Amino acid sequence: MKVEKVFFQPDKANEAIRSFMVNLLESVLIVILLLVFTMGFRSGLIIGFGLVLTVAVSFPILLSIGITLTQPLYAGGKIVAGHRLAKIGEEAAEEQCRKTRTEVIYDADNAYWTYVPVIEKQKMMNALSAQMDTLFSQVGASIDAGMAITQTRICTTDYLRATGRLVN
């Protein structure tokens, strides 16, 4: 996830103030030009200068009596950015949930397929153990009955060693 600055209010406030000042100067210039064209050069210039003087004097007077001009900042961008970040957060949470679900399924599948061969090997070992028990009982019965061949001594020794009856 990448984190980046979406909205920095001091920059927006400075931009709004600059925009206000540019708009104020443009509007004063337009009014002066209109006055010059409609009233003539000399009259338009005098009235336009009076307008500029009135605006220039009114700001310090308003400030001294505690009245300030405010211009609301456009918070729509901040709201849109917040909404966009909320959607990204929702998508990230959904993706995390999908990832967790996938990991759980993977771990369960891995555990199952680890368990199945162990069970099969255990069944195989039980069957081999039963075969060995049968084989040992048959060999023991053969030795006890005296059925022997030339290698009976080796077979008897191995049988006694396997059953734990032969001590060195």
Side-chain angles (χ1 to χ4, degrees), residues 82-102:
H83 183 65
R84 191 176 336 134
L85 287 174
K87 280 191 176 247
I88 290 171
E90 287 175 3
E91 291 171 2
E94 288 174 5
E95 191 60 36
Q96 183 65 33
C97 190
R98 253 192 310 269
K99 178 184 172 210
T100 303
R101 188 178 303 120
T102 303

Side-chain angles (χ1 to χ4, degrees), residues 2 25 33 44 49 63 65 71 73 90 94 96 110 113 130 140-141:
K2 182 180 172 187
L25 288 174
L33 286 174
F49 181 70
L63 185 63
I65 60 175
Q71 181 180 7
L73 291 177
E90 287 175 3
E94 288 174 5
Q96 183 65 33
N110 193 23
W113 289 109

Side-chain angles (χ1 to χ4, degrees), residues 26-45:
E26 286 175 353
S27 61
V28 168
L29 287 175
I30 290 171
V31 168
I32 291 174
L33 286 174
L34 285 174
L35 286 172
V36 166
F37 284 125
T38 57
M39 299 180 75
F41 183 75
R42 187 173 174 185
S43 298
L45 205 56

Side-chain angles (χ1 to χ4, degrees), residues 27 77 84 112 114 129 149:
S27 61
R84 191 176 336 134
Y112 175 77
T114 302
S129 177
I149 54 173

Side-chain angles (χ1 to χ4, degrees), residues 2-150:
K2 182 180 172 187
V3 178
E4 60 184 61
K5 185 183 352 177
V6 176
F7 186 85
F8 189 59
Q9 190 163 352
D11 288 345
K12 295 293 182 182
N14 289 337
E15 183 181 320
I17 290 169
R18 273 192 303 271
S19 174
F20 171 75
M21 294 304 289
V22 167
N23 288 340
L24 180 65
L25 288 174
E26 286 175 353
S27 61
V28 168
L29 287 175
I30 290 171
V31 168
I32 291 174
L33 286 174
L34 285 174
L35 286 172
V36 166
F37 284 125
T38 57
M39 299 180 75
F41 183 75
R42 187 173 174 185
S43 298
L45 205 56
I46 292 171
I47 294 174
F49 181 70
L51 178 66
V52 171
L53 189 59
T54 304
V55 170
V57 170
S58 65
F59 281 137
I61 292 172
L62 290 173
L63 185 63
S64 68
I65 60 175
I67 298 173
T68 58
L69 294 176
T70 58
Q71 181 180 7
L73 291 177
Y74 173 68
K78 189 173 185 180
I79 292 170
V80 169
H83 183 65
R84 191 176 336 134
L85 287 174
K87 280 191 176 247
I88 290 171
E90 287 175 3
E91 291 171 2
E94 288 174 5
E95 191 60 36
Q96 183 65 33
C97 190
R98 253 192 310 269
K99 178 184 172 210
T100 303
R101 188 178 303 120
T102 303
E103 287 174 352
V104 167
I105 290 170
Y106 174 78
D107 290 343
D109 190 56
N110 193 23
Y112 175 77
W113 289 109
T114 302
Y115 177 73
V116 167
V118 169
I119 295 299
E120 292 301 317
K121 288 175 184 175
Q122 186 179 14
K123 287 179 186 176
M124 182 182 70
M125 291 304 293
N126 289 340
L128 286 174
S129 177
Q131 285 179 353
M132 290 300 291
D133 289 342
T134 303
L135 182 65
F136 276 125
S137 68
Q138 289 174 353
V139 169
S142 295
I143 290 173
D144 291 342
M147 295 184 344
I149 54 173
T150 58

